[in-house]
PDB file of all heavy atoms in Angstrom:
ATOM      1  N   GLU B 249      10.246  63.267  -3.248  1.00  0.00           N
ATOM      2  CA  GLU B 249       9.805  62.704  -1.962  1.00  0.00           C
ATOM      3  C   GLU B 249      10.344  61.298  -1.786  1.00  0.00           C
ATOM      4  O   GLU B 249      10.755  60.884  -0.697  1.00  0.00           O
ATOM      5  CB  GLU B 249       8.286  62.594  -1.913  1.00  0.00           C
ATOM      6  CG  GLU B 249       7.543  63.890  -1.986  1.00  0.00           C
ATOM      7  CD  GLU B 249       6.043  63.629  -2.176  1.00  0.00           C
ATOM      8  OE1 GLU B 249       5.366  63.435  -1.155  1.00  0.00           O
ATOM      9  OE2 GLU B 249       5.597  63.595  -3.340  1.00  0.00           O
ATOM     10  N   VAL B 250      10.304  60.540  -2.871  1.00  0.00           N
ATOM     11  CA  VAL B 250      10.750  59.154  -2.818  1.00  0.00           C
ATOM     12  C   VAL B 250      12.243  59.097  -2.494  1.00  0.00           C
ATOM     13  O   VAL B 250      12.675  58.408  -1.567  1.00  0.00           O
ATOM     14  CB  VAL B 250      10.468  58.440  -4.162  1.00  0.00           C
ATOM     15  CG1 VAL B 250      11.054  57.040  -4.156  1.00  0.00           C
ATOM     16  CG2 VAL B 250       8.972  58.393  -4.440  1.00  0.00           C
ATOM     17  N   GLY B 251      13.023  59.850  -3.259  1.00  0.00           N
ATOM     18  CA  GLY B 251      14.471  59.842  -3.065  1.00  0.00           C
ATOM     19  C   GLY B 251      14.872  60.290  -1.671  1.00  0.00           C
ATOM     20  O   GLY B 251      15.714  59.670  -1.018  1.00  0.00           O
ATOM     21  N   GLN B 252      14.238  61.373  -1.225  1.00  0.00           N
ATOM     22  CA  GLN B 252      14.594  61.903   0.101  1.00  0.00           C
ATOM     23  C   GLN B 252      14.308  60.900   1.205  1.00  0.00           C
ATOM     24  O   GLN B 252      15.103  60.732   2.133  1.00  0.00           O
ATOM     25  CB  GLN B 252      13.796  63.181   0.380  1.00  0.00           C
ATOM     26  CG  GLN B 252      14.376  64.406  -0.280  1.00  0.00           C
ATOM     27  CD  GLN B 252      13.572  65.656   0.023  1.00  0.00           C
ATOM     28  OE1 GLN B 252      12.344  65.665  -0.022  1.00  0.00           O
ATOM     29  NE2 GLN B 252      14.278  66.726   0.332  1.00  0.00           N
ATOM     30  N   GLU B 253      13.165  60.240   1.119  1.00  0.00           N
ATOM     31  CA  GLU B 253      12.786  59.332   2.194  1.00  0.00           C
ATOM     32  C   GLU B 253      13.652  58.079   2.220  1.00  0.00           C
ATOM     33  O   GLU B 253      14.076  57.622   3.282  1.00  0.00           O
ATOM     34  CB  GLU B 253      11.297  58.981   2.072  1.00  0.00           C
ATOM     35  CG  GLU B 253      10.711  58.283   3.263  1.00  0.00           C
ATOM     36  CD  GLU B 253      10.706  59.102   4.546  1.00  0.00           C
ATOM     37  OE1 GLU B 253      11.168  60.270   4.535  1.00  0.00           O
ATOM     38  OE2 GLU B 253      10.261  58.570   5.580  1.00  0.00           O
ATOM     39  N   PHE B 254      13.956  57.528   1.025  1.00  0.00           N
ATOM     40  CA  PHE B 254      14.859  56.378   0.982  1.00  0.00           C
ATOM     41  C   PHE B 254      16.237  56.773   1.501  1.00  0.00           C
ATOM     42  O   PHE B 254      16.889  56.033   2.234  1.00  0.00           O
ATOM     43  CB  PHE B 254      14.967  55.804  -0.443  1.00  0.00           C
ATOM     44  CG  PHE B 254      13.927  54.765  -0.758  1.00  0.00           C
ATOM     45  CD1 PHE B 254      12.727  55.125  -1.344  1.00  0.00           C
ATOM     46  CD2 PHE B 254      14.140  53.417  -0.478  1.00  0.00           C
ATOM     47  CE1 PHE B 254      11.751  54.173  -1.645  1.00  0.00           C
ATOM     48  CE2 PHE B 254      13.183  52.456  -0.774  1.00  0.00           C
ATOM     49  CZ  PHE B 254      11.971  52.838  -1.351  1.00  0.00           C
ATOM     50  N   ALA B 255      16.684  57.974   1.125  1.00  0.00           N
ATOM     51  CA  ALA B 255      18.008  58.437   1.556  1.00  0.00           C
ATOM     52  C   ALA B 255      18.025  58.619   3.067  1.00  0.00           C
ATOM     53  O   ALA B 255      18.984  58.251   3.749  1.00  0.00           O
ATOM     54  CB  ALA B 255      18.359  59.739   0.851  1.00  0.00           C
ATOM     55  N   ARG B 256      16.934  59.186   3.591  1.00  0.00           N
ATOM     56  CA  ARG B 256      16.874  59.477   5.023  1.00  0.00           C
ATOM     57  C   ARG B 256      16.827  58.191   5.842  1.00  0.00           C
ATOM     58  O   ARG B 256      17.534  58.053   6.838  1.00  0.00           O
ATOM     59  CB  ARG B 256      15.619  60.324   5.309  1.00  0.00           C
ATOM     60  CG  ARG B 256      15.427  60.700   6.755  1.00  0.00           C
ATOM     61  CD  ARG B 256      14.148  61.522   6.955  1.00  0.00           C
ATOM     62  NE  ARG B 256      12.932  60.718   6.993  1.00  0.00           N
ATOM     63  CZ  ARG B 256      12.470  60.112   8.089  1.00  0.00           C
ATOM     64  NH1 ARG B 256      13.123  60.195   9.219  1.00  0.00           N
ATOM     65  NH2 ARG B 256      11.345  59.406   8.031  1.00  0.00           N
ATOM     66  N   ARG B 257      16.030  57.237   5.402  1.00  0.00           N
ATOM     67  CA  ARG B 257      15.829  56.059   6.242  1.00  0.00           C
ATOM     68  C   ARG B 257      16.847  54.952   6.006  1.00  0.00           C
ATOM     69  O   ARG B 257      17.245  54.284   6.952  1.00  0.00           O
ATOM     70  CB  ARG B 257      14.411  55.512   6.045  1.00  0.00           C
ATOM     71  CG  ARG B 257      13.365  56.498   6.539  1.00  0.00           C
ATOM     72  CD  ARG B 257      11.997  55.896   6.671  1.00  0.00           C
ATOM     73  NE  ARG B 257      11.967  54.853   7.707  1.00  0.00           N
ATOM     74  CZ  ARG B 257      10.854  54.392   8.253  1.00  0.00           C
ATOM     75  NH1 ARG B 257       9.703  54.875   7.871  1.00  0.00           N
ATOM     76  NH2 ARG B 257      10.887  53.426   9.160  1.00  0.00           N
ATOM     77  N   VAL B 258      17.231  54.766   4.745  1.00  0.00           N
ATOM     78  CA  VAL B 258      18.106  53.633   4.459  1.00  0.00           C
ATOM     79  C   VAL B 258      19.536  54.078   4.141  1.00  0.00           C
ATOM     80  O   VAL B 258      20.497  53.374   4.421  1.00  0.00           O
ATOM     81  CB  VAL B 258      17.559  52.824   3.259  1.00  0.00           C
ATOM     82  CG1 VAL B 258      18.311  51.522   3.094  1.00  0.00           C
ATOM     83  CG2 VAL B 258      16.078  52.564   3.427  1.00  0.00           C
ATOM     84  N   GLY B 259      19.631  55.234   3.528  1.00  0.00           N
ATOM     85  CA  GLY B 259      20.937  55.679   3.043  1.00  0.00           C
ATOM     86  C   GLY B 259      21.143  55.164   1.634  1.00  0.00           C
ATOM     87  O   GLY B 259      21.057  53.960   1.392  1.00  0.00           O
ATOM     88  N   ILE B 260      21.349  56.082   0.689  1.00  0.00           N
ATOM     89  CA  ILE B 260      21.498  55.719  -0.719  1.00  0.00           C
ATOM     90  C   ILE B 260      22.897  56.134  -1.172  1.00  0.00           C
ATOM     91  O   ILE B 260      23.347  57.233  -0.841  1.00  0.00           O
ATOM     92  CB  ILE B 260      20.439  56.481  -1.574  1.00  0.00           C
ATOM     93  CG1 ILE B 260      19.020  56.121  -1.134  1.00  0.00           C
ATOM     94  CG2 ILE B 260      20.617  56.204  -3.053  1.00  0.00           C
ATOM     95  CD1 ILE B 260      18.650  54.689  -1.341  1.00  0.00           C
TER      96      ILE B 260
END
Side-chain angles (χ1 to χ4, degrees):
Chain B
E249 297 170 86
V250 174
Q252 280 180 316
E253 192 64 0
F254 272 92
R256 180 181 80 84
R257 295 194 65 163
V258 190
I260 300 296

